[in-house]
Amino acid sequence: MANEEKVVYNAPSEIKEIRVINTYELEDEARKIVPKGGFDYMSGASGDEFTLRQNNEAWNKKGIIPRVLADVEHPDPSTSIFGIDIKVPFIMAPIAAHGLAHQTKEAGTARGVSEFGTIMSISAYSGASFNEIEEGLNGSPRWFQIYMSKDDELNKNILDEAKADGATAIILTADSTLSGNRHRDERNQFVYPFGMPIVSRYLTGSGKNMSLNNIYAQSKQKIAPRDVKFIAEYSGLPVFVKGIQSPEDALLAIGAGASGIWVSNHGGRQLDSAPGSFATLEGISEAVAGRVPIVFDSGIRRGEHIFKALASGADIVALGRPVLYGLALGGWKGVYSVLEYFEKDLKRVMQLAGTQTIADIKKARLFDYK
Amino acid sequence: MANEEKVVYNAPSEIKEIRVINTYELEDEARKIVPKGGFDYMSGASGDEFTLRQNNEAWNKKGIIPRVLADVEHPDPSTSIFGIDIKVPFIMAPIAAHGLAHQTKEAGTARGVSEFGTIMSISAYSGASFNEIEEGLNGSPRWFQIYMSKDDELNKNILDEAKADGATAIILTADSTLSGNRHRDERNQFVYPFGMPIVSRYLTGSGKNMSLNNIYAQSKQKIAPRDVKFIAEYSGLPVFVKGIQSPEDALLAIGAGASGIWVSNHGGRQLDSAPGSFATLEGISEAVAGRVPIVFDSGIRRGEHIFKALASGADIVALGRPVLYGLALGGWKGVYSVLEYFEKDLKRVMQLAGTQTIADIKKARLFDYK
Amino acid sequence: MANEEKVVYNAPSEIKEIRVINTYELEDEARKIVPKGGFDYMSGASGDEFTLRQNNEAWNKKGIIPRVLADVEHPDPSTSIFGIDIKVPFIMAPIAAHGLAHQTKEAGTARGVSEFGTIMSISAYSGASFNEIEEGLNGSPRWFQIYMSKDDELNKNILDEAKADGATAIILTADSTLSGNRHRDERNQFVYPFGMPIVSRYLTGSGKNMSLNNIYAQSKQKIAPRDVKFIAEYSGLPVFVKGIQSPEDALLAIGAGASGIWVSNHGGRQLDSAPGSFATLEGISEAVAGRVPIVFDSGIRRGEHIFKALASGADIVALGRPVLYGLALGGWKGVYSVLEYFEKDLKRVMQLAGTQTIADIKKARLFDYK
Amino acid sequence: MANEEKVVYNAPSEIKEIRVINTYELEDEARKIVPKGGFDYMSGASGDEFTLRQNNEAWNKKGIIPRVLADVEHPDPSTSIFGIDIKVPFIMAPIAAHGLAHQTKEAGTARGVSEFGTIMSISAYSGASFNEIEEGLNGSPRWFQIYMSKDDELNKNILDEAKADGATAIILTADSTLSGNRHRDERNQFVYPFGMPIVSRYLTGSGKNMSLNNIYAQSKQKIAPRDVKFIAEYSGLPVFVKGIQSPEDALLAIGAGASGIWVSNHGGRQLDSAPGSFATLEGISEAVAGRVPIVFDSGIRRGEHIFKALASGADIVALGRPVLYGLALGGWKGVYSVLEYFEKDLKRVMQLAGTQTIADIKKARLFDYK
């Protein structure tokens, strides 16, 4: 390809602990060192970024009520999901192309996540192979996120590899059958500067020098309950359907055999004008009614957000951009610093809200701003 | 007229495809090349432009809910109205004086609309004659928008000509019996730099060097159901009443023989402090109850807006300013680029909202921001 | 008084028609030519000026619905109150110290009001005497606004003079038993640069070089229904109670013999954190239930505002600051220009809202922004 | 300690009356003269300072309705609590480390409060000893606020001293079992520049050069109803539980023997995302139902705020930051000036709202902004 030469992408490479005071600021720090195309891809969203902003603003409709006579000390944020014990109710969300943030790619994130001690989600659009990621993950628990091929034999192939790699759950991303209207990427004419080894089998090319539009166009678009069923039956693993924003889809997914609901609007990157992800959680949780666990993502930036999501029906939450900014700023150690911050911040919130355990959070009443 | 000499108006003349990423930006681009008086006339509105802003903000009260297991691929936005099949549920709105935007005037717009493949609305205040417009339209479907004379014989005259030109529907603009309080035009002491051949028969002068205030003053002000009846009976064509913002007027119009309701607040150009046009749509649609089709305009800038309007009861929408900015920026090719963008954006939204057809959109539930 | 010498106040003196496009802009224009102390006194309000802003923002909670098939032409805004026919439903509000705005003082305003053809309200805190004002008023209808003395004999005195001057109604200002917390005046250490001939009988001094705080402190503070009764009985004239912001006070006033209710929050100048005046109108109007006429003021800047006030229960509205700015900018001709603007703007709104008469406005349904 | 030398903290020392027009401005004035670390500690709050802003914004959801025929003159703001008569319904809130604001420390505040004539709350984290404070307080009424040790014998010790000092009530701060997430202090690496004589018995060190995090970590975290009971029984004094933000905690506190409820969110310094303190008051007041008095703090900056708090169920309010800024700007005389301002402002509001007494305020209906 003629313009393959022209792509030069210098991702950061430093590895160091970072000081985290406020995770919103990590974005500003990352902007300074990540090449513009990559930074815009990571931080941007679709359309007027209305939904991206809603992801932040939705939190402000609900308040946490301080509780002061609750006899709490050293709150315990540990929980478990599908038999995996985790010390905190948050995990790493699946994100494509960590190599945009740091030269160690997904292996860097994996090491930070593994050393901290939670679950890593490996994206089908990883820039690293399973083997490369394993170098960082080092046997820690991992889930695999799949973007499906139009060819189910290739999907079986990918699922076989993910299982062989040790994935204990499959996350079916269903909200991205084509790319959102991402103005920043369009202006930058952004293409991935490296290949995507896991899905390259169904792309014309390796993924390198391809735009997201182009990659999605080669992936499966007709996602339906039968796909949930297919993955669940073929893999024999619990399947999450990711991108659920309505009670209807949650019920369809469960009916089709999903073992978990993943509430997300893809960080505001898909359908602009969609509600803030948190605004949809309570309704979905009521429909799910405890049948399966709920993972929540899109907009988590503070311990308070984790608390609000759990109090509104989520069982765990997934962190995305802040961790990726941590990766950019300090490699695996930066990832570790960010996760540690969230743990500390959540414990503080639990103490001030009078909740000793995750179960206490789930029973907490939130304040309704009118 | 003494100051006829002084009016020099250099409209843009370039013809080229334009790159459309976000239609809001077209306004900024057009501002750079369209003479100030003309630009302000096109983009401005009445009073404090409160209603103009409401036209944008009203969209944000409703969200589109992503649907992810809907088995959709290659959504089909085609529809039909009064027996005309169109490949998209949007048409060109009637707008006066396209010559302010481009030297090819309405013929330029008409060619872009016709090559793209939707319906052209010809304004009674066109700066081009039917014959000149036909050069661009080239036999494509067109509707005629009428501003009535105080003299019904002249109205008959105009309707005869419109029918002879091939109009298949008449749009009676009823919301402009006098000009809105347009500060920008008043500051600019704006007058039209060219005549209006279709209505010049009832003006003292050609329309050239006349202000909109002046032109409206010479047009009919007492619009009533009898006018709807008169136009329907005399023309034998389906009649839309344009400018409907209340259930009451919708029912009056249907009672008087209207074949369609055109919900619009004239782009915020008439009564400032009127609600955003989209905010009135649902109530009107409930009153109309499917008796006649509903066209919606005022504020459409994204595929999401088309989706929301259709989900709230509109059958098709009409595009105004963005197309005119496309005309300014690239003549008929610019018009084409803008229409193509809306088609692509709408299809993307349909896919992400899990809607295969226009009928699916009309059944979609919107999210209610509180 | 020692500092009597130091007060030099150069009010504008030009007399000319002014061009009014948007009355909000008159404030900016006036700021340029009126001495700062006087300008701040006229334009400022109390506290954080929260209520002043609410007076503007309250309008935006209600929209006017365009009506397009109403068969309206040449709408008629004339009305009458207490037997006085006026060509428009607006009058001049009572305001202190017009001499701050223009050297012609209240006589200038009176001439503009009288030539235009509506009712003048003469403030007890006028800087001009009845005789001086009569030069401008020239026999036109006038009402007299009273700030009461603590001594009822002096009040009788003042009422006698007002009646002798031809007042046909008395406006009892009841919301100003002490001065609001006006930061601007306090910073400026503002004192009136001229005396107040009407009330000087009960001041220690003429009013000149006195602060408003000081003047109010010498006026009556214990206002009660008995005062309404006293004024009504002694004067034999219709009495308005001005400053009503609650249904309870409206009923107390009517019970005590008030012939009219004047809804006002004194332009945001008294109790900061009070609601926008328009926000209180509907509730008051429901309580009054047509027993007596309602005058509304505080925040009228557009024809739309007059319409909304009338549609919410007011019978007429009173204009304050915009007229005073007109006085500053052009003397009596400036006053005339402003009043003419409001008439034209109101007629335009009436036409676009499909209302032929004031009675039609009073029946119009407003749009409720949620 | 090695870095004990490096701490140099030059607090202001001037003693003078100050001119108070708007208490919000005192913060800007204080910022100019108080060392940054101390100023940020006093003025800052936790997290994104969302709750700090909510403390201000919550007032704007309720309006005070002007009442104009209420026959009020010289309103009387005096009240009493636990047998102490006070001339105003506001007291001094407990605040740590006044020495950050002024070299006279708590003695300065105490003198201003005592000369003005209301109740002083002495914080356990005072930088001055009881004896030093007494120099300013001079026999005036005082309450003692306790942060508990983990060792109840030490708590008894402290309570004994407070009683010996003359405290007539104990305020148990229950909302601060660890420090809020205070970004400003973290950035400044703020440590107290002087010791805390009252609690130093249970700290490793005097408090000097210790961060708040560190100090809270050495204090008691497991606060429960039994602590309320312990303090009430041991001290024999009325106990307030401070930091109540929910009806549930109010009832728990009363059940455990609290003699008063202190509604506060610690000035937004603890749990960010908590509601504005005023937003919680009405619900708590309904639950308390008059069983015990309610003190309110967090966000009082105007007489209007005092009125709104009382009309929503509070019996008295406590002032914090504005008084501390007064201390910084003018020592005890600055404190006096600020208290005097609040008294004057409250009386003005009482007059304009037609309320003669505190009992009248408590019966007033507030306006509900929708």
Side-chain angles (χ1 to χ4, degrees), chain A residues 87-269:
Chain A
K87 69 180 189 181
V88 288
F90 53 82
I91 67 167
M92 179 63 200
I95 297 190
H98 297 205
L100 297 172
H102 200 264
Q103 292 186 12
T104 56
K105 297 186 175 174
E106 284 76 8
T109 313
R111 180 164 175 198
V113 169
S114 137
E115 302 238 359
F116 173 75
T118 186
I119 299 169
M120 174 74 184
S121 301
I122 296 176
S123 167
Y125 289 175
S126 290
S129 66
F130 285 117
N131 284 342
E132 287 164 339
I133 299 172
E134 179 58 24
E135 279 172 41
L137 206 43
N138 203 16
S140 277
R142 90 263 340 246
W143 291 346
F144 176 71
Q145 175 266 331
I146 191 166
Y147 280 115
M148 294 179 83
S149 167
K150 297 180 183 187
D151 176 345
D152 267 347
E153 290 310 307
L154 295 180
N155 290 325
K156 287 181 183 175
N157 238 226
I158 292 174
L159 291 169
D160 289 342
E161 284 185 21
K163 282 187 73 168
D165 184 57
T168 58
I170 303 297
I171 306 159
L172 168 62
T173 297
D175 63 5
S176 303
T177 56
L178 89 176
S179 173
N181 185 3
R182 303 194 194 166
H183 298 348
R184 298 203 216 180
D185 294 348
E186 203 174 345
R187 281 185 227 285
N188 294 333
Q189 302 188 270
F190 177 72
V191 294
Y192 290 108
F194 41 72
M196 294 180 165
I198 297 171
V199 298
S200 61
R201 72 199 77 189
Y202 66 74
L203 301 177
T204 62
S206 68
K208 184 167 179 178
N209 291 332
M210 290 174 71
S211 72
L212 187 63
N213 272 338
N214 200 344
I215 289 171
Y216 277 132
Q218 298 184 29
S219 311
K220 187 169 196 177
Q221 267 132 68
K222 286 180 76 68
I223 305 275
R226 67 178 165 271
D227 296 294
V228 179
K229 189 157 176 281
F230 164 78
I231 293 174
E233 289 183 354
Y234 183 78
S235 71
L237 294 174
V239 175
F240 284 102
V241 181
K242 179 168 177 281
I244 300 288
Q245 293 283 279
S246 66
E248 294 88 339
D249 277 337
L251 296 174
L252 283 174
I254 293 170
S259 297
I261 293 300
W262 195 299
V263 172
S264 167
N265 62 24
H266 215 113
R269 298 162 80 83

Side-chain angles (χ1 to χ4, degrees), chain D residues 39-364:
Chain D
F39 177 78
D40 279 355
Y41 173 79
M42 294 193 294
S43 63
S46 59
D48 298 314
E49 303 192 341
F50 174 82
T51 296
L52 178 70
R53 288 190 300 277
Q54 288 295 310
N55 280 348
N56 288 329
E57 290 170 18
W59 302 116
N60 297 337
K61 301 288 173 67
K62 298 278 185 183
I64 305 178
I65 301 168
R67 293 302 303 270
V68 302
L69 294 171
D71 207 13
V72 167
E73 190 172 21
H74 308 309
D76 173 10
S78 68
T79 189
S80 77
I81 183 158
F82 295 151
I84 305 171
D85 292 327
I86 37 180
K87 69 180 189 181
V88 290
F90 54 83
I91 67 168
M92 179 64 198
I95 296 189
H98 296 206
L100 298 172
H102 199 264
Q103 292 186 13
T104 55
K105 296 186 176 174
E106 283 75 8
T109 312
R111 180 164 177 198
V113 170
S114 136
E115 302 239 359
F116 174 77
T118 187
I119 300 169
M120 174 75 182
S121 301
I122 297 177
S123 167
Y125 290 174
S126 290
S129 66
F130 286 119
N131 283 343
E132 289 165 339
I133 299 172
E134 179 57 26
E135 279 174 40
L137 207 43
N138 204 15
S140 277
R142 88 263 339 246
W143 292 346
F144 176 70
Q145 175 266 330
I146 190 166
Y147 280 114
M148 295 180 82
S149 166
K150 296 178 184 188
D151 175 346
D152 266 348
E153 289 311 306
L154 295 180
N155 291 324
K156 288 180 182 174
N157 238 226
I158 292 174
L159 290 169
D160 289 344
E161 285 184 20
K163 281 187 73 168
D165 184 58
T168 58
I170 304 297
I171 306 160
L172 168 62
T173 297
D175 63 5
S176 302
T177 56
L178 88 176
S179 173
N181 185 3
R182 303 196 194 164
H183 298 347
R184 299 202 216 181
D185 293 349
E186 202 175 346
R187 281 184 228 284
N188 294 333
Q189 302 188 269
F190 177 72
V191 294
Y192 289 109
F194 41 74
M196 294 180 163
I198 298 172
V199 297
S200 61
R201 71 198 77 190
Y202 65 72
L203 300 177
T204 62
S206 68
K208 181 167 180 180
N209 291 335
M210 290 175 71
S211 72
L212 187 63
N213 272 338
N214 200 343
I215 289 171
Y216 277 133
Q218 298 184 30
S219 311
K220 187 170 197 178
Q221 267 131 67
K222 286 180 75 67
I223 305 275
R226 69 179 163 270
D227 297 294
V228 179
K229 189 158 176 281
F230 164 78
I231 294 172
E233 291 182 353
Y234 184 78
S235 71
L237 294 174
V239 175
F240 284 102
V241 181
K242 178 167 176 283
I244 300 287
Q245 293 283 278
S246 64
E248 293 89 339
D249 277 337
L251 296 174
L252 283 174
I254 294 170
S259 297
I261 293 300
W262 194 301
V263 173
S264 167
N265 61 24
H266 215 113
R269 297 161 80 83
Q270 291 298 101
L271 179 56
D272 198 36
S273 87
S277 188
F278 177 59
T280 73
L281 176 57
E282 196 171 359
I284 294 168
S285 163
E286 285 167 8
V288 170
R291 290 182 189 95
V292 298
I294 294 174
V295 180
F296 175 86
D297 80 31
S298 297
I300 301 273
R301 298 294 179 274
R302 308 197 66 91
E304 287 92 343
H305 299 163
I306 301 175
F307 187 101
K308 290 181 188 180
L310 268 54
S312 301
D315 293 282
I316 56 174
V317 304
L319 305 177
R321 288 182 180 102
V323 180
L324 215 59
Y325 299 140
L327 179 67
L329 294 165
W332 76 265
K333 289 190 177 175
V335 168
Y336 191 97
S337 299
V338 170
L339 297 172
E340 207 175 26
Y341 172 87
F342 275 101
E343 180 183 16
K344 186 176 166 194
D345 204 36
L346 174 61
K347 282 184 179 171
R348 179 163 39 204
V349 173
M350 289 178 75
Q351 173 82 31
L352 296 173
T355 49
Q356 188 69 50
T357 64
I358 298 299
D360 289 344
I361 298 179
K362 292 182 73 72
K363 286 180 293 193

Side-chain angles (χ1 to χ4, degrees), chain B residues 41-298:
Chain B
Y41 173 79
M42 293 193 292
S43 63
S46 59
D48 297 313
E49 303 193 341
F50 173 82
T51 296
L52 178 69
R53 286 190 302 279
Q54 288 295 312
N55 281 348
N56 288 329
E57 290 170 16
W59 302 115
N60 297 336
K61 300 287 173 68
K62 298 279 185 182
I64 305 178
I65 301 168
R67 294 301 303 271
V68 301
L69 294 171
D71 209 13
V72 167
E73 190 173 19
H74 308 309
D76 172 12
S78 69
T79 188
S80 76
I81 184 157
F82 296 151
I84 304 172
D85 292 326
I86 37 179
K87 66 180 189 181
V88 289
F90 55 82
I91 67 167
M92 179 64 200
I95 297 189
H98 297 205
L100 297 172
H102 201 265
Q103 292 186 11
T104 56
K105 295 187 176 174
E106 284 75 6
T109 313
R111 181 163 175 199
V113 169
S114 136
E115 301 238 358
F116 173 76
T118 187
I119 298 169
M120 174 76 183
S121 300
I122 296 175
S123 167
Y125 288 175
S126 290
S129 67
F130 286 119
N131 284 343
E132 287 165 337
I133 297 172
E134 179 58 24
E135 279 174 39
L137 206 44
N138 202 16
S140 278
R142 88 267 334 250
W143 293 346
F144 177 70
Q145 174 267 332
I146 191 165
Y147 281 115
M148 294 181 82
S149 167
K150 297 178 184 190
D151 176 346
D152 267 346
E153 289 311 307
L154 294 181
N155 290 326
K156 288 181 183 174
N157 236 227
I158 291 174
L159 290 169
D160 290 344
E161 283 185 22
K163 281 187 73 168
D165 182 58
T168 58
I170 303 297
I171 306 159
L172 169 62
T173 297
D175 62 6
S176 303
T177 56
L178 89 175
S179 173
N181 185 3
R182 303 195 193 164
H183 298 349
R184 298 202 215 180
D185 294 347
E186 203 173 345
R187 281 184 227 285
N188 294 333
Q189 302 189 270
F190 177 72
V191 294
Y192 289 108
F194 41 74
M196 294 180 165
I198 297 172
V199 297
S200 61
R201 73 199 75 190
Y202 67 73
L203 301 176
T204 63
S206 69
K208 184 169 179 179
N209 291 334
M210 291 174 71
S211 73
L212 186 64
N213 272 339
N214 201 342
I215 289 172
Y216 277 133
Q218 297 184 30
S219 311
K220 187 169 197 178
Q221 267 131 69
K222 288 178 73 68
I223 304 276
R226 67 177 166 273
D227 297 294
V228 180
K229 189 157 176 281
F230 164 78
I231 294 172
E233 289 182 353
Y234 183 78
S235 71
L237 294 176
V239 175
F240 285 100
V241 180
K242 176 166 177 285
I244 300 288
Q245 293 283 278
S246 66
E248 294 88 340
D249 277 336
L251 296 174
L252 283 174
I254 294 170
S259 298
I261 293 301
W262 193 301
V263 172
S264 168
N265 62 23
H266 216 110
R269 298 162 79 84
Q270 291 299 101
L271 179 56
D272 198 36
S273 86
S277 189
F278 178 60
T280 72
L281 176 56
E282 197 173 356
I284 295 169
S285 164
E286 284 167 8
V288 170
R291 289 182 190 94
V292 298
I294 295 174
V295 180
F296 175 86
D297 80 31
S298 296

